[in-house]
Amino acid sequence: MNKVLYNDILRKEIIEKLNEEKWLSGKECLNDKRYMECVYDILNNEKFQEMDNYIQHGTTTTLEHCLSVSYISYKICKYYKFDYISAARGGLLHDLFLYDWHTHCKDTGNHFHGLTHPRVALNNAKKYFDLNEIEKDIILKHMWPLTVIPPKSMEGFVVMYADKYCGFIETVDRLKDNIPKNQRAIKIH
């Protein structure tokens, strides 16, 4: 069998299998064939899937957070004709630090998760995936301005802003449940 045809069949089988994952069920990105082709190998990776064991913001797991950041970044970069593949892949891997950041300080004594986790995520990503320079920069600089040096690419800025947007929405979603509807100053979706 031709190698290209074999890889195409394998990719389709993996994407079908991913449809059964609870963290992907009902997600818009599942219906975006081009997006899934860009990231199926990451989504199918066991180390990447470990991020579903850690909460990021509110009740959102790190995996769900990264998926949201990735897909929003992909759509924005595709619209503006930037490198949407690197944005999608870098967005998925930007928080591949593989620990619970809520207890990390107590467990390790490292009080600077916000500053150090991009390097940890990059080192992990390099262990399990082949990365291009844009993807590496996205992962390393996504916490700017906390990380003093800004992203080098437009894709890096898109992922950085998508990360902040998703983190804000995830946090507000958790908080809105604690505010009685009649006391809310603004309507929160």
Side-chain angles (χ1 to χ4, degrees):
M1 183 186 297
N2 163 329
K3 185 177 181 180
V4 172
L5 180 60
Y6 175 76
N7 286 340
D8 192 44
I9 291 168
L10 183 61
R11 178 174 40 248
K12 286 177 184 171
E13 287 176 3
I14 290 169
I15 290 171
E16 283 177 23
K17 182 183 141 242
L18 287 168
N19 279 313
E20 299 167 12
E21 294 289 347
K22 75 171 179 64
W23 45 267
L24 263 179
S25 68
K27 299 282 194 251
E28 178 185 345
C29 64
L30 270 176
N31 298 319
D32 191 326
K33 183 181 179 200
R34 183 65 186 125
Y35 175 78
M36 292 301 286
E37 287 173 349
C38 296
V39 299
Y40 77 93
D41 61 313
I42 296 173
L43 296 175
N44 193 49
N45 182 281
E46 288 181 16
K47 274 295 177 191
F48 173 81
Q49 291 177 12
E50 281 182 25
M51 290 196 301
D52 201 37
N53 297 325
Y54 306 107
I55 295 296
Q56 183 76 350
H57 306 113
T59 59
T60 304
T61 68
T62 306
L63 190 153
E64 292 166 330
H65 168 76
C66 288
L67 187 59
S68 295
V69 169
S70 171
Y71 192 56
I72 288 170
S73 300
Y74 162 84
K75 286 171 49 173
I76 292 170
C77 287
K78 194 170 183 189
Y79 178 84
Y80 285 105
K81 298 182 178 16
F82 300 152
D83 180 355
Y84 59 88
I85 296 170
S86 293
R89 296 177 68 80
L92 275 181
L93 299 170
H94 80 277
D95 279 339
L96 189 69
F97 46 82
L98 302 173
Y99 56 79
D100 182 350
W101 70 267
H102 301 89
T103 60
H104 185 67
C105 174
K106 187 175 82 173
D107 296 344
T108 66
N110 177 354
H111 296 269
F112 303 103
H113 165 79
L115 296 170
T116 61
H117 83 269
R119 176 68 63 188
V120 173
L122 176 60
N123 289 339
N124 286 336
K126 288 185 339 189
K127 272 189 232 174
Y128 304 107
F129 304 99
D130 291 325
L131 305 173
N132 66 34
E133 292 306 311
I134 293 173
E135 293 162 353
K136 290 175 189 173
D137 190 64
I138 286 170
I139 297 165
L140 194 57
K141 313 257 180 73
H142 78 272
M143 287 298 289
W144 186 75
L146 246 92
T147 52
V148 181
I149 301 170
K152 292 179 185 174
S153 65
M154 291 305 293
E155 298 83 0
F157 276 98
V158 170
V159 171
M160 182 216 33
Y161 284 117
D163 181 40
K164 287 162 181 39
Y165 169 78
C166 290
F168 175 77
I169 294 299
E170 293 157 5
T171 301
V172 167
D173 275 350
R174 181 193 67 168
L175 296 175
K176 77 176 184 182
D177 295 333
N178 297 330
I179 303 170
K181 286 185 180 184
N182 63 348
Q183 292 181 10
R184 293 181 190 166
I186 58 172
K187 183 180 181 221
I188 304 171
H189 66 53

